[in-house]
Amino acid sequence: MIRIVLCAVVVFVLQTPAFAGEGRPEFRAMLGQMLLVGFRGAELSDEDSILRDIREHNLGGVILFDRDVQLKTVGRNIQSPAQVRALTARLQAAARTPLFIAVDQEGGRVRRLREAAGFPFSPSAKAMGQGTPDETRQEGERTGRLLADLGINLDFAPVADVDVNPASPAIGALERSFSADPETVAAHAGAFSRGLLSHGVLPCLKHFPGHGSAMADSHLGLTDISRTWSPAELIPYERLIPLGASPLIMCGHLFLERFDADHPATLSPAVLTGLLRERLGFKDVIVSDDMQMRAITAHYGLEEAVLRAVEAGVDILVFGNNLDYDPDIVPKAVDILVRGVDSGRLSRQRIEASFDRISKAKALLATPQGATNGFAGERS
């Protein structure tokens, strides 16, 4: 089953203009690739807005959830293995450019594929961190094998946050960090990433520049880490970026005054361009955390948040459509980006740079890495 899915992805990728050397698509289609959104429905009809967005706006990706937070219901997109396979196949069949189909499958408390729906148990990062990196790699392989079989090709994991504050409501209290030791975090995050890549599933390190010391949860409001954060929280990124361990890094909605006294990391050129790209040398895809989290929506309107994020360096804007639900978020966001370019606030070259990074990452879907080999982007 895994070989069939991967072969299908290879054929799809190689036949898609974005990957076939035929030049870039038209401009609005490039903008669509910069969006990754959630949607409602375990099964889809032709009239569903998500299929419209894939067909008409060249949507770059989707994210699957087991629960609908706003409706307080279960089974939003995930009900059984067979149902998920059918759903992901339907989504990819509508796409002219291969979709990122993403999920948060860290293990432990944060996993969308649960035993009640017929999926195997997976341990938390904290539990994995108490074992060896090789055991964590094997867990990454098991997760990668599961996701590839389901047609899911992007895991918003592993967490690279250091467990500075075990009571941190979004990280430590949920056992999402591998360790309080940043070198241990780097070793296990790299191992889990290697396991995912061995099955053609892309990892995404998160939450840059480090959520582990936070006293608040950015889902609920502004998370200021100015007095608790330390440079040691960058060590996992300093170790893993030169290895090309992950083609995607997710930034957190974290306010860190020493780098930017006005804006959270997601909207900060100083953090994303100055620190992550220029100082740490990350050349690949920067993904936002959910742009509908209260840390953003309580302080910025949609248009300003979208434009500031792209100005800062974000390549893929995530709208989970779970904390809030807007079936028209994709055309709204595309229109905002078009206005940003038309007004001169964003340059066409800035959009093309994101599109090229996204295309490079999607090309990796056709080349799963052997479990004992180097990372997909390892540099000599």
Side-chain angles (χ1 to χ4, degrees):
M1 179 66 182
I2 294 170
R3 290 181 180 175
I4 293 172
V5 170
L6 291 176
C7 287
V9 170
V10 170
V11 172
F12 191 19
V13 168
L14 295 180
Q15 289 180 346
T16 300
F19 300 92
E22 299 177 14
R24 297 186 178 97
E26 59 95 16
F27 188 63
R28 288 184 71 96
M30 284 195 285
L31 298 176
Q33 287 294 292
M34 295 176 67
L35 303 174
L36 188 150
V37 305
F39 61 97
R40 284 177 175 159
E43 297 178 353
L44 298 174
S45 69
D46 288 339
E47 292 72 36
D48 276 295
S49 59
I50 194 66
L51 293 180
R52 173 205 67 192
D53 294 336
I54 293 169
R55 291 189 298 255
E56 297 181 11
H57 300 289
N58 197 33
L59 179 63
V62 299
I63 182 169
L64 308 183
F65 291 101
D66 55 338
R67 294 182 62 251
D68 191 302
V69 172
Q70 192 178 54
L71 298 180
K72 298 181 172 59
T73 57
V74 297
R76 173 178 162 122
N77 307 125
I78 298 169
Q79 297 179 352
S80 73
Q83 170 269 321
V84 173
R85 290 188 198 101
L87 178 62
T88 60
R90 181 74 188 277
L91 290 163
Q92 289 288 16
R96 48 183 150 144
T97 304
L99 281 172
F100 279 138
I101 300 182
V103 72
D104 292 291
Q105 191 69 9
E106 301 171 14
R109 295 277 294 277
V110 180
R111 64 189 197 282
R112 311 306 182 201
L113 308 170
R114 293 179 171 269
E115 301 92 299
F119 301 101
F121 172 77
S122 57
S124 69
K126 182 176 182 178
M128 285 186 264
Q130 293 168 357
T132 67
D134 188 61
E135 290 169 332
T136 296
R137 175 187 57 78
Q138 293 175 39
E139 189 58 46
E141 289 180 21
R142 283 188 285 271
T143 300
R145 186 181 305 113
L146 170 66
L147 298 184
D149 175 64
L150 296 170
I152 297 170
N153 55 27
L154 173 58
D155 191 2
F156 284 138
V159 167
D161 298 319
V162 181
D163 197 13
V164 177
N165 173 19
S168 177
I171 305 297
L174 301 181
E175 300 189 354
R176 297 174 70 190
S177 172
F178 289 107
S179 176
D181 173 38
E183 299 288 355
T184 300
V185 171
H188 284 270
F192 193 87
S193 295
R194 193 186 300 275
L196 292 174
L197 286 164
S198 72
H199 290 280
V201 174
L202 302 189
C204 178
L205 301 177
K206 62 186 187 185
H207 308 78
F208 188 84
H211 205 312
S213 71
M215 300 296 293
D217 183 344
S218 55
H219 288 80
L220 306 177
L222 181 67
T223 301
D224 189 341
I225 56 174
S226 298
R227 292 178 176 79
T228 57
W229 185 89
S230 78
E233 296 182 63
L234 294 178
I235 288 175
Y237 300 97
E238 293 171 342
R239 301 290 182 265
L240 296 173
I241 287 172
L243 297 177
S246 176
L248 301 99
I249 290 178
M250 177 180 286
C251 56
H253 303 317
L254 304 164
F255 182 78
L256 187 52
E257 189 173 11
R258 74 173 68 189
F259 293 112
D260 192 322
D262 298 313
H263 305 296
T266 311
L267 311 184
S268 172
V271 174
L272 299 188
T273 299
L275 179 59
L276 181 53
R277 290 219 185 277
E278 295 174 0
R279 179 178 151 189
L280 298 183
F282 185 63
K283 306 299 184 187
D284 298 308
V285 178
I286 297 177
V287 185
S288 79
D289 209 339
D290 190 347
M291 296 294 290
Q292 292 167 318
M293 288 182 180
R294 299 297 175 255
I296 298 296
T297 60
H299 301 276
Y300 302 89
L302 176 63
E303 183 145 355
E304 189 66 10
V306 165
L307 295 177
R308 282 190 179 275
V310 176
E311 286 176 322
V314 169
D315 298 303
I316 295 178
L317 296 154
V318 175
F319 292 91
N321 253 352
N322 206 350
L323 300 172
D324 293 311
Y325 183 70
D326 183 353
D328 294 318
I329 192 62
V330 170
K332 287 179 181 178
V334 168
D335 286 345
I336 288 169
L337 292 170
V338 168
R339 290 195 294 272
V341 174
D342 288 346
S343 70
R345 183 168 175 179
L346 299 175
S347 70
R348 185 183 178 97
Q349 290 72 27
R350 171 67 191 85
I351 301 303
E352 290 174 347
S354 284
F355 176 80
D356 289 344
R357 285 189 282 263
I358 294 164
S359 297
K360 179 183 174 184
K362 287 189 173 183
L364 295 174
L365 298 174
T367 55
Q369 303 297 300
T372 59
N373 296 335
F375 291 110
E378 192 161 11
R379 301 171 191 169
S380 58

Coordinates of all heavy atoms in Angstrom, one line a residue, residues 302-344:
L302 N -7.3 40.7 9.9 CA -6.8 39.7 9.0 C -5.8 40.2 8.0 O -4.8 39.6 7.8 CB -8.0 39.0 8.3 CG -7.7 38.0 7.2 CD1 -7.0 36.8 7.8 CD2 -9.0 37.6 6.5
E303 N -6.2 41.3 7.4 CA -5.3 41.8 6.3 C -3.9 42.2 6.8 O -2.9 41.9 6.2 CB -6.0 43.0 5.6 CG -5.2 43.6 4.5 CD -6.1 44.1 3.3 OE1 -7.3 44.0 3.4 OE2 -5.5 44.7 2.4
E304 N -3.9 42.9 7.9 CA -2.6 43.3 8.5 C -1.8 42.1 8.9 O -0.6 42.1 8.7 CB -2.8 44.3 9.7 CG -1.6 45.0 10.2 CD -0.9 45.9 9.1 OE1 -1.6 46.2 8.1 OE2 0.2 46.4 9.4
A305 N -2.4 41.1 9.5 CA -1.7 40.0 10.0 C -1.1 39.2 8.8 O 0.1 38.8 8.8 CB -2.6 39.0 10.8
V306 N -1.9 39.0 7.7 CA -1.4 38.3 6.5 C -0.2 39.0 5.9 O 0.9 38.4 5.6 CB -2.5 38.1 5.5 CG1 -2.0 37.7 4.1 CG2 -3.5 37.1 6.0
L307 N -0.3 40.3 5.7 CA 0.7 41.1 5.1 C 2.0 41.2 5.9 O 3.1 41.0 5.4 CB 0.2 42.5 4.7 CG -0.9 42.5 3.6 CD1 -1.3 44.0 3.4 CD2 -0.4 41.9 2.3
R308 N 1.8 41.4 7.2 CA 3.0 41.5 8.1 C 3.7 40.1 8.2 O 4.9 40.1 8.2 CB 2.6 41.9 9.5 CG 2.3 43.4 9.7 CD 2.1 43.8 11.1 NE 1.9 45.2 11.3 CZ 2.8 46.1 11.3 NH1 4.1 45.7 11.3 NH2 2.6 47.4 11.5
A309 N 3.0 39.0 8.2 CA 3.6 37.7 8.2 C 4.5 37.4 7.0 O 5.6 37.0 7.1 CB 2.5 36.6 8.4
V310 N 3.9 37.8 5.8 CA 4.7 37.5 4.6 C 5.9 38.5 4.5 O 7.0 38.1 4.1 CB 3.8 37.7 3.4 CG1 4.6 37.6 2.1 CG2 2.7 36.6 3.4
E311 N 5.7 39.8 5.0 CA 6.8 40.7 5.0 C 7.9 40.2 6.0 O 9.1 40.3 5.7 CB 6.3 42.1 5.5 CG 5.5 42.9 4.5 CD 5.0 44.2 5.1 OE1 4.6 44.2 6.3 OE2 5.0 45.2 4.4
A312 N 7.5 39.5 7.0 CA 8.5 39.0 8.0 C 9.3 37.9 7.5 O 10.4 37.6 7.9 CB 7.7 38.6 9.3
G313 N 8.7 37.1 6.6 CA 9.4 35.9 6.0 C 8.6 34.6 6.0 O 9.1 33.6 5.5
V314 N 7.3 34.6 6.4 CA 6.5 33.4 6.3 C 6.2 33.0 4.9 O 5.9 33.9 4.0 CB 5.2 33.6 7.1 CG1 4.2 32.5 6.8 CG2 5.4 33.8 8.6
D315 N 6.4 31.7 4.6 CA 6.1 31.2 3.2 C 4.7 30.6 3.2 O 4.1 30.7 2.1 CB 7.2 30.2 2.9 CG 8.6 30.7 2.8 OD1 8.8 31.7 2.1 OD2 9.4 30.2 3.5
I316 N 4.3 29.9 4.2 CA 3.0 29.2 4.2 C 2.2 29.8 5.4 O 2.7 29.6 6.6 CB 3.1 27.7 4.3 CG1 3.8 27.2 3.1 CG2 1.7 27.1 4.5 CD1 4.0 25.6 3.1
L317 N 1.0 30.3 5.2 CA 0.1 30.8 6.2 C -0.9 29.7 6.5 O -1.6 29.2 5.6 CB -0.6 32.0 5.7 CG 0.3 33.3 5.4 CD1 -0.4 34.2 4.3 CD2 0.6 34.0 6.7
V318 N -0.9 29.3 7.8 CA -1.8 28.3 8.2 C -3.1 28.9 8.8 O -3.0 29.8 9.7 CB -1.2 27.4 9.3 CG1 -2.2 26.3 9.8 CG2 0.0 26.7 8.6
F319 N -4.2 28.5 8.3 CA -5.5 28.9 8.9 C -6.2 27.5 9.3 O -6.8 26.9 8.4 CB -6.4 29.7 7.9 CG -5.8 31.0 7.7 CD1 -5.0 31.3 6.6 CD2 -6.2 32.1 8.5 CE1 -4.4 32.5 6.4 CE2 -5.7 33.4 8.2 CZ -4.8 33.6 7.2
G320 N -6.2 27.2 10.5 CA -6.7 25.9 10.9 C -8.2 25.8 10.8 O -8.8 24.7 10.7
N321 N -8.9 26.9 10.7 CA -10.4 27.0 10.6 C -11.1 26.1 11.6 O -12.1 25.4 11.3 CB -10.8 26.5 9.2 CG -11.3 27.7 8.3 OD1 -11.5 28.8 8.8 ND2 -11.5 27.4 7.0
N322 N -10.5 26.1 12.8 CA -11.0 25.2 13.9 C -11.3 26.1 15.1 O -12.4 25.9 15.7 CB -10.0 24.1 14.2 CG -10.6 22.9 14.8 OD1 -11.8 22.9 15.1 ND2 -9.9 21.8 14.9
L323 N -10.5 27.0 15.5 CA -10.8 27.9 16.5 C -11.9 28.9 16.1 O -12.8 29.2 16.8 CB -9.6 28.7 16.9 CG -8.4 27.9 17.4 CD1 -7.1 28.8 17.6 CD2 -8.7 27.2 18.7
D324 N -11.8 29.3 14.8 CA -12.9 30.0 14.1 C -13.1 29.3 12.8 O -12.2 28.5 12.4 CB -12.5 31.5 13.8 CG -12.4 32.3 15.1 OD1 -13.3 32.2 15.9 OD2 -11.4 33.0 15.2
Y325 N -14.2 29.5 12.1 CA -14.5 28.8 10.9 C -14.9 29.8 9.8 O -15.9 30.5 10.0 CB -15.5 27.7 11.0 CG -15.7 26.9 9.7 CD1 -14.7 26.1 9.3 CD2 -16.9 27.1 9.0 CE1 -14.9 25.4 8.1 CE2 -17.1 26.4 7.8 CZ -16.1 25.5 7.3 OH -16.2 24.9 6.2
D326 N -14.2 29.8 8.7 CA -14.5 30.7 7.6 C -14.3 29.9 6.3 O -13.2 29.7 5.9 CB -13.6 32.0 7.6 CG -14.0 33.0 6.5 OD1 -14.8 32.6 5.7 OD2 -13.4 34.1 6.5
P327 N -15.4 29.5 5.7 CA -15.2 28.7 4.5 C -14.7 29.5 3.3 O -14.2 28.9 2.3 CB -16.7 28.2 4.2 CG -17.6 29.2 4.8 CD -16.8 29.7 6.1
D328 N -14.6 30.8 3.4 CA -14.0 31.7 2.4 C -12.7 32.2 2.7 O -12.2 33.2 2.1 CB -15.0 32.8 2.1 CG -16.3 32.3 1.5 OD1 -16.2 31.4 0.6 OD2 -17.4 32.8 1.9
I329 N -12.0 31.6 3.7 CA -10.7 32.2 4.1 C -9.7 32.2 3.0 O -8.8 33.1 2.9 CB -10.2 31.4 5.4 CG1 -9.0 32.2 6.0 CG2 -9.8 30.0 5.1 CD1 -9.3 33.6 6.5
V330 N -9.7 31.2 2.1 CA -8.7 31.1 1.0 C -8.9 32.2 0.0 O -7.9 33.0 -0.2 CB -8.8 29.7 0.3 CG1 -7.9 29.7 -0.9 CG2 -8.3 28.6 1.3
P331 N -10.1 32.4 -0.6 CA -10.2 33.6 -1.5 C -9.9 34.9 -0.8 O -9.3 35.8 -1.4 CB -11.6 33.5 -2.0 CG -12.3 32.5 -1.2 CD -11.3 31.6 -0.6
K332 N -10.3 35.0 0.5 CA -10.0 36.3 1.2 C -8.5 36.5 1.3 O -8.0 37.6 1.1 CB -10.6 36.3 2.6 CG -12.1 36.4 2.6 CD -12.7 36.3 4.0 CE -14.2 36.4 4.1 NZ -14.7 36.3 5.5
A333 N -7.8 35.5 1.7 CA -6.3 35.6 1.9 C -5.6 35.9 0.6 O -4.7 36.7 0.5 CB -5.8 34.4 2.6
V334 N -6.1 35.2 -0.5 CA -5.5 35.4 -1.8 C -5.7 36.9 -2.2 O -4.8 37.5 -2.7 CB -6.0 34.4 -2.9 CG1 -5.6 34.9 -4.3 CG2 -5.5 33.0 -2.6
D335 N -6.9 37.4 -2.0 CA -7.2 38.7 -2.4 C -6.3 39.7 -1.6 O -5.9 40.8 -2.1 CB -8.7 39.0 -2.2 CG -9.5 38.4 -3.3 OD1 -9.0 38.0 -4.3 OD2 -10.8 38.3 -3.0
I336 N -6.1 39.4 -0.3 CA -5.2 40.3 0.5 C -3.8 40.3 -0.1 O -3.2 41.4 -0.2 CB -5.2 39.8 2.0 CG1 -6.6 40.1 2.6 CG2 -4.1 40.4 2.7 CD1 -6.7 39.4 4.0
L337 N -3.3 39.2 -0.5 CA -2.0 39.1 -1.0 C -1.9 39.8 -2.4 O -0.9 40.5 -2.6 CB -1.5 37.7 -1.2 CG -1.3 36.9 0.2 CD1 -1.1 35.4 -0.1 CD2 -0.1 37.5 0.9
V338 N -2.9 39.7 -3.2 CA -2.9 40.4 -4.5 C -2.9 41.9 -4.2 O -2.1 42.7 -4.8 CB -4.2 40.0 -5.3 CG1 -4.4 41.0 -6.4 CG2 -4.1 38.6 -5.8
R339 N -3.7 42.4 -3.3 CA -3.7 43.8 -2.9 C -2.3 44.3 -2.4 O -1.9 45.4 -2.7 CB -4.8 44.2 -1.9 CG -6.2 44.1 -2.5 CD -7.2 44.7 -1.6 NE -7.4 44.1 -0.3 CZ -8.2 43.1 -0.1 NH1 -9.0 42.6 -1.0 NH2 -8.3 42.6 1.1
G340 N -1.7 43.4 -1.6 CA -0.4 43.7 -1.1 C 0.6 43.9 -2.2 O 1.5 44.8 -2.1
V341 N 0.5 43.1 -3.2 CA 1.5 43.3 -4.4 C 1.1 44.5 -5.2 O 1.9 45.3 -5.6 CB 1.5 42.0 -5.2 CG1 2.3 42.2 -6.5 CG2 2.1 40.8 -4.4
D342 N -0.2 44.6 -5.5 CA -0.7 45.8 -6.3 C -0.3 47.1 -5.7 O 0.0 48.1 -6.4 CB -2.2 45.7 -6.5 CG -2.6 44.6 -7.5 OD1 -1.7 44.0 -8.2 OD2 -3.8 44.2 -7.5
S343 N -0.3 47.2 -4.3 CA 0.0 48.4 -3.6 C 1.5 48.7 -3.5 O 1.9 49.8 -3.1 CB -0.6 48.4 -2.2 OG 0.1 47.5 -1.4
G344 N 2.3 47.7 -3.8 CA 3.7 47.8 -3.7 C 4.2 47.4 -2.3 O 5.4 47.4 -2.1

